[in-house]
Amino acid sequence: MMIDIKDLCITFGAGNHQIHAVRNANLQVAEGDSYGLVGESGSGKSTILRAMVGINARWTGSIEVDGNTLTPKRTVASRKHMQMVFQDPYGSLHPRRTVDDTLSEPLVIHKMDKREDRIIRILKEVGLGPEFRFRYPHQLSGGQRQRVAIARALILEPRVILLDEPTSALDVSVQAEILNLLSDLRKTHGLTYIMVSHDLAVVGHLCSKIAVMNRGEIIEEITEEQMRTGEVEHDYTRQLWTASHGYDRAALESFREFA
Amino acid sequence: MNEMFTTGLSSEPPTDEPLVSVRDLHVRFSTPKGPVHAVRGVSFDLGRERLGIVGESGSGKSQTGRALLRLTAGNGSINARKMVFDGLNLMRASEKTMRGIRGSRISMIMQDPKYSLNPVLTVGAQIAESCRRHENISKADAKKRALAMLETVRIREPEKVYNLYPHQVSGGMGQRIMIAMMLITNPQVMIADEPTSALDVTVQMQVLKLLDDMVRERGMGLVLISHDLQLVSSFCDRVLVMYGGRIMETLDAKNLDQAQHPYTKGLLNCLPRLDGTHDDLPVLKRDPAWLTEPEHADGGLS
Amino acid sequence: MMSDTTSRQNTGLIAWLLADFPQNAFQAKCQRAYIGWLSFKTNPIAMFGLIIVTFLCLVALFAPWIAGGDGDTQDLANRLAAPSAEHWFGTDELGRDVFARIVWGSRVTLYIIFLVSIIVMPVGLIIGTASGLFGGVVDKVLMRITDIFLAFPRLILALAFVAVLGPGLENAVLAIALTTWSPYARLARAETLTLRSSEYIMAAEIMGASKARVLFAHIMPMCMSSTIVRLTLDMAGIILTAAGLGFLGLGAQPPLAEWGAMIATGRDFLLDQWWVPTIPGIAILVVSLGFNLLGDGLRDVLDPRSSGGQ
């Protein structure tokens, strides 16, 4: 197993205001696999990713990546193996730094050599020419920015990439390009993905196994086969699946809240 | 339902005359980097129906919606051969007439209710205020109407929600409140610009159902502006597909699979499907000729 | 789109500055500055401010040639003379040429501005950003210290400092700086708090960037512009505080030509020999106005939110 998460609980706040953002989450991802986390806003799906990369340190349980048990506090070297791509391509790049600055910083931090070669090679891999190297984020389109963000995650040669709604801020035609790029990169680099999204179709396209989350709990894990046919166990999953097919007045009557 | 529906527009006999008729609409902006031609000759009619306008960012779909209310930003200009709403020439109407129309006869819902609601007033007060602005009724009556409206938009415990401030309500409820505020004046036309894209799918469906009800029960004309072709086609009667400020194609929503234009086909194909495979998605290839090809994009008017 | 077409028409330096694809980091930085300049140039009021400030710098630089005297030479026989061809701005109570003193005074003004800037900016930025980034105890301690400085009226606190440090221009400047930095720390902290949760800061932390790197390389450049703008807008107040201290005998010491001190000593003659206090007053007004207009223009150019749309 590349990723093995057991009994993960994540809380916010303290005392009476304590909120259990994630409760007893368990998930396993094999090396080279792509795993999806689906849920509505507030379901805790992004919170899991944040705990994994060590932005949120308030969790209990165990997170194992590539055989190493991760603790809430990380060493610089340990961060190399797991990187993240964010939702908003406008917010995830520093507005005052060129593409070159953004890509060379991880190399400086991890003292990696042949920086120039690496930057040019990685730009080529994400489908940007070397001519984009000295552009500022505001000189790039949304899709190009997301490519730079992917290049930044990839340049440290990680084993695992966590994708937090990587295409939800993009136009559908650009979304297709980015999804294709992500699936190509996974094949060529043998990467393991965990992808978070609210869009069942997007997750289903990239992932072979999908965990459905509601209110901090993983309620069901479905396969791509179940995803196609809609033969799912849990009512909530079925409701999500139905809603993802577009507007259906009749089906709406049966919708309800799941607590 | 409640007494509003009996006094509203639904009591009028339905006519074939379109509510809104637009011919050859152009919206231009002057920017420091030179002129931008955002909408280039758009024509369509809106009846008592659900009309979808679909396009990617920069296609001019939002500007088309805003132009109907003459809400184009200060550096923009609107030109049209014809822009008529219920017998009224919107191009010639004075700013005062427009203010009378906006919000009372043509309403608009924006994407994010957070920016459209006043943060220091309770939501109920804002709905009642909107009611009083357009009709001469007492405060108590306005409150009654507002509460009834909150019920209409399927808000449980309207009495409680009436006294909440905008930051105390969730995104889905905020959008329902916005819709209540826009509907309380009984508009003939509603322009909804991405009303649901900030919401979760199930909430999204519930909000759409609400708009659907208004069209069915009150004979309102609805323009739904969105980037999501699949969603719009499952909801609307007709769909206009826009690209580069022009209408590429007008479709009956149920005949989406018979789309002729390569742009519409490309948009449909590049969507990941629930029953699809993991194969690469076809990438949309844009043809510059689409922006110059002869006008077949007349919004279903020949 | 417009810049694409113009870049093809232009040649040489302009083409290099507007090239779609910069070849190296230096060119990218120059391009950024040039595009900022182009947008600054379209704002006539800001340009007016820049002209005033540039003019001040030129006057200070070429003071010996412009003043036509050292401004300290007394001519008691010719005291309080009205403006004339010989003395453009008249003479003061000791018969010194007011014009020469104004010109020499521009150096003092610039000196004050320079000293205050190099103290206030780093102190305010470091305290504010550190407090915002680290939070917790660090934030509490640093912000309470800031509060203490904010609680006193600026001039009173400056007086106390000068009383301890002793009178003199440098000490006055130090006192002003010590009383000025606190709002900058507040400003930088507020900005850091919004930046801290941004995705690019998160991305930097995920790649293993240390707190110091995040602070100096990511957050500080983003806070820099608002600090510069605020400082430019504050300049008028700083000049006036320096003048106030000079008047109380705690700032610039006679015979140093400092505009504020000149007003202070000339105020007795306001009714009969109006030029003695009025001319330095006008000088302060013009320079303060210049900095204010410049600051407004800079805000439009440096604001990352507005430049993001370019």
Side-chain angles (χ1 to χ4, degrees):
Chain A
M1 281 297 135
M2 191 63 179
I3 300 167
D4 191 353
I5 295 180
K6 286 200 187 94
D7 282 330
L8 181 67
C9 294
I10 305 170
T11 53
F12 291 129
N16 288 333
H17 300 288
Q18 196 165 35
I19 297 161
H20 293 272
V22 176
R23 267 172 291 188
N24 300 86
N26 290 291
L27 57 92
Q28 280 86 38
V29 188
E31 182 168 6
D33 242 3
S34 183
Y35 191 92
L37 276 177
V38 169
E40 305 201 318
S41 52
S43 62
K45 52 193 196 307
S46 297
T47 315
I48 292 187
L49 295 198
R50 272 153 211 226
M52 288 180 72
V53 291
I55 296 178
N56 182 354
R58 296 197 49 192
W59 52 269
T60 57
S62 89
I63 303 178
E64 235 175 73
V65 175
D66 201 12
N68 300 312
T69 307
L70 297 183
T71 53
K73 237 175 157 42
R74 306 288 157 84
T75 62
V76 172
S78 75
R79 291 187 179 271
K80 211 181 143 183
H81 308 295
M82 188 156 57
Q83 288 295 307
M84 186 154 158
V85 176
F86 293 90
Q87 170 181 7
D88 180 11
Y90 295 89
S92 69
L93 299 178
H94 197 290
R96 293 282 157 100
R97 313 187 121 209
T98 59
V99 173
D100 184 66
D101 295 336
T102 299
L103 295 181
S104 53
E105 183 164 41
L107 298 177
V108 173
I109 293 170
H110 291 273
K111 303 191 175 63
M112 288 161 85
D113 57 349
K114 291 184 287 189
R115 284 173 202 157
E116 189 157 342
D117 295 349
R118 283 175 194 269
I119 289 171
I120 289 168
R121 200 172 63 222
I122 209 83
L123 279 177
K124 201 172 157 196
E125 270 194 78
V126 298
L128 293 173
E131 68 269 23
F132 286 96
R133 196 174 148 200
F134 295 105
R135 279 200 163 188
Y136 284 98
H138 69 258
Q139 297 168 309
L140 303 172
S141 69
Q144 288 166 345
R145 288 182 203 217
Q146 201 58 303
R147 283 170 195 271
V148 174
I150 293 170
R152 172 179 59 192
L154 212 58
I155 203 162
L156 287 174
E157 298 166 4
R159 311 278 314 270
V160 177
I161 292 193
L162 308 178
L163 305 161
D164 190 359
E165 306 248 15
T167 62
S168 64
L170 305 173
D171 275 328
V172 283
S173 59
V174 183
Q175 164 172 294
E177 293 168 19
I178 297 292
L179 287 176
N180 290 347
L181 172 69
L182 286 171
S183 106
D184 291 346
L185 290 172
R186 183 167 67 93
K187 279 174 219 151
T188 48
H189 292 264
L191 296 165
T192 308
Y193 285 167
I194 294 187
M195 180 180 191
V196 155
S197 179
H198 66 279
D199 189 331
L200 213 49
V202 167
V203 171
H205 177 76
L206 209 64
C207 307
S208 48
K209 237 191 222 169
I210 298 156
V212 181
M213 290 192 74
N214 185 35
R215 312 235 165 158
E217 280 177 84
I218 295 181
I219 55 169
E220 188 172 5
E221 197 179 77
I222 57 174
T223 62
E224 49 187 318
E225 189 51 38
Q226 285 177 294
M227 167 92 192
R228 276 189 209 115
T229 57
E231 284 164 14
V232 294
E233 298 281 313
H234 206 283
D235 286 344
Y236 177 78
T237 316
R238 192 165 307 118
Q239 180 170 319
L240 204 62
W241 191 81
T242 312
S244 304
H245 278 83
Y247 182 71
D248 180 350
R249 214 182 146 81
L252 258 168
E253 301 297 335
S254 65
F255 278 20
R256 62 189 179 92
E257 297 263 322
F258 289 84
Chain B
M1 284 289 142
N2 53 55
E3 85 264 85
M4 256 179 308
F5 290 127
T6 55
T7 59
L9 284 156
S10 50
S11 60
E12 290 173 19
T15 52
D16 289 338
E17 193 72 8
L19 278 170
V20 175
S21 184
V22 176
R23 292 293 176 281
D24 202 20
L25 172 71
H26 289 263
V27 178
R28 294 178 180 84
F29 291 95
S30 62
T31 68
K33 292 183 173 180
V36 173
H37 200 162
V39 179
R40 313 174 177 217
V42 163
S43 304
F44 63 90
D45 280 339
L46 173 73
R48 297 172 193 282
E49 57 172 340
R50 297 158 298 184
L51 176 70
I53 302 182
V54 177
E56 297 190 281
S57 48
S59 61
K61 56 184 194 300
S62 292
Q63 289 306 334
T64 305
R66 290 176 153 258
L68 284 179
L69 279 172
R70 297 229 316 253
L71 281 173
T72 306
N75 60 344
S77 67
I78 308 172
N79 286 26
R81 211 147 35 85
K82 182 182 170 194
M83 195 159 83
V84 177
F85 161 65
D86 200 18
L88 187 89
N89 186 344
L90 292 177
M91 289 305 296
R92 293 268 178 78
S94 67
E95 192 49 38
K96 191 166 171 247
T97 316
M98 284 312 291
R99 272 202 297 275
I101 290 175
R102 281 180 208 137
S104 90
R105 300 184 67 193
I106 307 181
S107 285
M108 189 157 186
I109 311 175
M110 306 286 191
Q111 179 171 351
D112 198 336
K114 289 242 156 50
Y115 299 110
S116 312
L117 290 169
N118 185 340
V120 297
L121 286 178
T122 63
V123 294
Q126 291 184 59
I127 300 173
E129 165 69 22
S130 148
C131 185
R132 271 163 60 81
R133 210 181 302 139
H134 296 283
E135 271 168 85
N136 202 2
I137 55 170
S138 72
K139 269 193 174 170
D141 283 345
K143 180 167 181 180
K144 246 185 242 158
R145 289 271 304 271
L147 285 172
M149 202 66 227
L150 284 174
E151 217 175 306
T152 313
V153 296
R154 313 285 185 276
I155 283 178
R156 283 171 247 164
E157 302 178 84
E159 294 275 357
K160 194 182 136 204
V161 174
Y162 188 94
N163 291 317
L164 292 181
Y165 286 91
H167 68 267
Q168 294 170 308
V169 301
S170 66
M173 198 187 276
Q175 200 57 291
R176 276 182 243 196
I177 289 164
M178 267 315 288
I179 292 174
M181 201 163 130
M182 292 297 140
L183 286 176
I184 199 159
T185 57
N186 240 328
Q188 288 155 276
V189 173
M190 170 81 86
I191 299 163
D193 190 353
E194 305 262 10
T196 61
S197 49
L199 308 176
D200 287 328
V201 266
T202 49
V203 184
Q204 187 173 337
M205 294 303 144
Q206 284 156 359
V207 169
L208 286 178
K209 179 160 181 295
L210 212 61
L211 292 172
D212 194 13
D213 290 345
M214 298 305 141
V215 176
R216 285 165 187 242
E217 290 162 12
R218 300 187 181 189
M220 188 178 75
L222 173 70
V223 180
L224 180 71
I225 299 167
S226 172
H227 67 283
D228 192 334
L229 183 52
Q230 211 138 42
L231 179 76
V232 168
S233 64
S234 68
F235 176 75
C236 292
D237 302 308
R238 282 192 304 140
V239 182
L240 310 181
V241 181
M242 283 188 74
Y243 173 71
R246 298 175 45 142
I247 296 176
M248 293 288 114
E249 189 166 22
T250 307
L251 286 160
D252 266 350
K254 52 183 180 297
N255 299 335
L256 194 66
D257 46 348
Q258 289 163 26
Q260 293 300 313
H261 199 280
Y263 179 69
T264 318
K265 286 187 190 168
L267 268 189
L268 278 172
N269 289 339
C270 69
L271 280 172
R273 301 172 58 90
L274 280 169
D275 52 2
T277 60
H278 296 312
D279 295 341
D280 273 6
L281 296 160
V283 169
L284 178 62
K285 296 244 176 354
R286 291 174 178 78
D287 188 346
W290 295 344
L291 296 177
T292 50
E293 65 197 2
E295 192 73 24
H296 62 74
D298 53 1
L301 322 153
S302 35
Chain C
M1 263 179 258
M2 189 68 172
S3 61
D4 291 1
T5 49
T6 45
S7 67
R8 265 171 230 123
Q9 288 153 8
N10 291 316
T11 50
L13 184 63
I14 303 289
W16 184 79
L17 284 168
L18 287 174
D20 279 343
F21 297 101
Q23 299 304 309
N24 52 51
F26 177 67
Q27 188 182 1
K29 295 235 152 41
C30 292
Q31 283 195 345
R32 192 186 177 87
Y34 182 65
I35 288 173
W37 165 242
L38 286 183
S39 102
F40 186 83
K41 227 169 54 168
T42 59
N43 183 345
I45 293 175
M47 277 305 280
F48 184 62
L50 182 68
I51 289 168
I52 293 175
V53 173
T54 314
F55 182 71
L56 174 74
C57 295
L58 289 177
V59 167
L61 192 63
F62 298 109
W65 294 276
I66 296 171
D70 60 7
D72 291 337
T73 317
Q74 297 183 9
D75 180 5
L76 288 173
N78 201 12
R79 63 193 287 270
L80 298 172
S84 63
E86 197 187 344
H87 300 289
W88 288 359
F89 293 160
T91 59
D92 67 3
E93 73 281 4
L94 296 172
R96 296 174 295 196
D97 184 32
V98 175
F99 176 74
R101 288 181 68 75
I102 293 284
V103 170
W104 284 107
S106 66
R107 285 195 166 186
V108 180
T109 303
L110 271 183
Y111 182 61
I112 294 170
I113 287 168
F114 173 75
L115 279 183
V116 170
S117 307
I118 60 163
I119 300 172
V120 165
M121 284 231 306
V123 171
L125 266 178
I126 290 175
I127 291 187
T129 50
S131 162
L133 182 65
F134 293 106
V137 181
V138 179
D139 183 33
K140 286 214 171 71
V141 171
L142 288 178
M143 277 304 113
R144 289 305 79 77
I145 295 173
T146 312
D147 284 344
I148 292 170
F149 279 90
L150 270 174
F152 288 98
R154 188 194 271 187
L155 193 62
I156 307 279
L157 193 59
L159 271 177
F161 279 122
V162 176
V164 175
L165 299 166
L169 189 61
E170 282 81 2
N171 287 347
V173 164
L174 197 62
I176 292 169
L178 282 171
T179 57
T180 310
W181 65 268
S182 42
Y184 293 81
R186 281 263 172 209
L187 185 74
R189 176 177 175 270
E191 271 196 73
T192 308
L193 286 180
T194 54
L195 290 171
R196 193 171 67 169
S197 53
S198 70
E199 293 190 336
Y200 56 85
I201 300 296
M202 250 184 246
E205 283 177 9
I206 292 170
M207 70 174 81
S210 63
K211 285 275 184 198
R213 176 178 280 276
V214 170
L215 187 71
F216 288 102
H218 291 259
I219 287 179
M220 242 186 233
M222 295 301 290
C223 297
M224 195 69 107
S225 49
S226 59
T227 308
I228 292 175
V229 170
R230 167 103 203 226
L231 194 64
T232 324
L233 294 173
D234 263 3
M235 268 324 161
I238 290 169
I239 295 168
L240 287 175
T241 311
L245 286 176
F247 166 57
L248 293 170
L250 298 167
Q253 297 298 303
L256 191 63
E258 199 272 327
W259 294 346
M262 284 167 72
I263 300 180
T265 51
R267 80 191 198 292
D268 296 341
F269 313 103
L270 185 60
L271 291 180
D272 300 319
Q273 288 86 24
W274 57 268
W275 56 90
V276 181
T278 306
I279 298 290
I282 291 172
I284 292 178
L285 177 77
V286 169
V287 171
S288 307
L289 186 72
F291 273 107
N292 259 314
L293 299 179
L294 179 68
D296 267 347
L298 280 179
R299 175 160 53 203
D300 295 340
V301 177
L302 292 177
D303 190 340
R305 280 166 293 266
S306 64
S307 66
Q310 281 173 11

